[in-house]
Amino acid sequence: MTGRAEEAATPARGWPLDHLPVAIRAYVPPAKAEAPRKWRPPPQPSEWVLVFDTETTIDPSQRLRFGSFQWRCGDQLERSGLFYDPTALTVRDRRTLERYARAHDLELMMAETFVETVFFKLGCELRATIVGFNLPFDLSRLAIDHGPARRRPMRGGFSFQFSAHRWRPRIQVKHLSRRASLMRFTVPLRQRTPRGMRKHSKAPARRGFFVDVKTIGAALTSRSDALTSLAEFLKVPSRKIATNEHGGRLTPDYIAYAVNDTQVTWECFAELARRYEQHRLTRTPIHRVLSEAGLGKAYLTEMGVQPWRLVQSDFPPWLIDIIMQSYFGGRSEVHLRRMLCQVAYCDFLAMYPTVCVLMGLWRWVTATGTTWQDATGETQSLLDRISLTALKRCATWRNLMTLVQILPEDDVLPVRVQYAGDRQYTIGLNHLTSDQPRWYTLADCINSKLRTGRSPKILKALTFVPRERQQGLKPVDIAGDPAFHVDPRRDDFFKRAVEFRTGIKRQLKTCPPEQREVLDSQQLATKILANSISYGISLEMNVEELSKPATALRYSDDGGPFPISVDQYEQPGRYFHPLLATLVTGAARLMLGIAESLAVGAGLDWAFCDTDSMAFAKPSVMSDDEFYRHVERILTWFEQLNPYEGAGHLLKLEEANFALRDGKASDELRPLFLWAISAKRYALFNIDETGWPIIRKASAHGLGHLIAPYGEDDAPETIPAPAMPLKDIGVERWQYDVWYRIVEAALAGNPNQPPLADLPGFDKPAASRYAATMPDLLAWFDRYNEDKDYPSTVRPFNFLTAFQPVRPLFSGWETIEDATPPKRTRKRDALPRPIAPYN
């Protein structure tokens, strides 16, 4: 399909600006689609818990040296000890370990003995919960071999061998994100069902119960913590001990450090388990919650909400394809790029849950499915008469449950194109003319009319209506608080969740300082809970890479399938419901479109927007007072749509617009300025009396993969310290310093020459942490691992320091043998990937 993208700043390489290829999102059912199953009580762990931690060498192999463990029954400590790899310790180190164990009444055993008599006994026979921090790494230290996991749902992960006994199960680990992994035992070769019972029943396979404290901590607190910061945040009795003895000769202090790590891990797990119990999600054990979205799924499961694909399994694939074509996600754009401008930075209250409430989508979540009908005439009539006045009425939003097929003729619509020679397709709002019909949400067509003044010509429209409500739904209390009781048969969960969060935010304004961090984490966790149920989980697609291209079927608009070649499959998640996803994001884009139209109508401009926020730009000829009066009118316009009780403004000025007093925002407006480089890369700042910037908010987008070149203690004295906490600005100290220099250069009229020479470490190679979390990533070490015994190889979940090479320096790198990638992936124009042991 081709179209015209007139607002793209630069055309894709090889294509004129008025003739860019446009990509559409399609739906290709997996060859063996796994339909959701009806809920069944999941297996529960016993009261036993095994907590362990490992210490390793600091060379690339990161092989096990020793570790510590605790064997618990409930909160009661039953056994504790140390285990070690005798081949990785010197005689002196081993004697030090023995003396420490005797002095502190700890068991001491070799790692092989620990695996057989402790790990498998607890994990397999006693159904214990196996607990660690960054557990995949610690598990892989105990393995004696590994291979790729080949069967769903673990394909794309690793399968670890722990024992020489073939009847022992392996452990499969599949990396999902930097916060979470799937972990389970394989089905062992030994038959667990007694011979006399095999004709009548079969003992279920024991997959184990694995809890990564890092994962459950992120899911419940919405924070990405190391063990040190998590212990401090949870205020557990013990704290992680600092040390610089990694990889050196064993000392009693270093062994104490390792033993303490296990204790801190246990205390964090116990506190997180207590917090999870407060949610009263009895149908979902804690080991099944792998993210904030997982917490959202647990709430739906607790309420008895059945997945859409289960209650309406006969929904036609061709209609899902139409729905997916209309999906474009959130809108994120920069409009005034590299232009110094004064702005009013505004944010919508809970954008996705709010449009769910306005459209009544909770009724769809709890329905037994959806019906659809042709509504071409009615939809064209609605579009022709729609106006900003009509959109101010809540009833109008209930009529947006429609997808339309149009033939774009200079309409302003979201499209996927390759901008500026980028090989990746990016979504942007463009003037589009196409020679082929396109499917969009009705909300997108209304947004186009607001921009152009013309209604897109509708060829066909499908309106959707929910079926009857599901049976068996039951109430829950959000976060276990009876004051926020939700009965899914009559209450709107989205509305109640937002009101619960705003109640916490009100407490934040008056609470003692020692409670602020916990309450702030609670409100953020509730925000993500509401967002995950309102949008995130409805478009969950688990990508499965194929070893070679395969043929799959895609369904056309008329229902006819035709074959296409694919190199991956997308397995829908349990609560996959793409109609909700496209309706929600389309309505959110319309919200931003209304704000844009109101601004333009008031003589203002806009500088950038990002999913649920927009920065209105002040014209140079307009006074500050007049500018803020126009902004206030825009904010007031949305008040009639506010569905919440006591939740404040629906569209509000963010704290960055108000002057700072003692590091906190006051009630006094102060001119706020913007320097934006691209979508999600910007800095908002005030200017002090001497003309220097005071950064209020900055983006770390695109920098998070880099290791900080220096810490706060090494920050240059030539840059003023932040006027507010860095976490409120949204960056680390070195990122703050980079933005300060960029803004400083922009204010001086030299935006292309920010002075960075005095920033420590900027004369050294940029480095990032590399982790071998997937077989394809580990394959880069095939040559390095040749002829090495298994403990000396780079193994799964090893982490190293990686560097970004510069092409001119490596024009003839093919002659460097150690830098050559595997033959099956080698390309002459590829660059080497230098790595070093992690530091």
Side-chain angles (χ1 to χ4, degrees), residues 66 175 280 295 299 370 464 477 569 576 600 765-766 786 839:
F66 74 99
H175 174 80
R280 301 176 187 173
L295 190 64
Y299 268 94
T370 181
F464 296 85
D477 296 333
Y569 281 131
F576 177 71
V600 172
E786 286 179 0
N839 188 328

Side-chain angles (χ1 to χ4, degrees), residues 794-806:
V794 173
R795 289 175 285 165
F797 298 102
N798 281 27
F799 51 92
L800 302 102
T801 303
F803 303 93
Q804 288 72 42
V806 180

Side-chain angles (χ1 to χ4, degrees), residues 637-708:
W637 188 96
F638 288 94
E639 286 309 292
Q640 195 168 321
L641 291 176
N642 194 334
Y644 306 113
E645 298 175 7
H649 297 294
L650 189 61
L651 180 64
K652 63 185 184 302
L653 284 167
E654 283 287 271
E655 290 185 351
N657 298 281
F658 297 92
L660 284 175
R661 289 179 184 167
D662 299 324
K664 296 183 179 180
S666 65
D667 295 330
E668 178 189 353
L669 283 169
R670 181 166 184 177
L672 183 68
F673 297 89
L674 168 75
W675 184 261
I677 296 174
S678 64
K680 295 184 180 294
R681 291 181 174 91
Y682 57 85
L684 293 163
F685 55 94
N686 305 128
I687 298 177
D688 67 15
E689 294 75 10
T690 61
W692 296 108
I694 303 173
I695 295 182
R696 304 295 303 276
K697 183 179 177 64
S699 167
H701 189 78
L703 299 176
H705 68 290
L706 295 175
I707 296 173

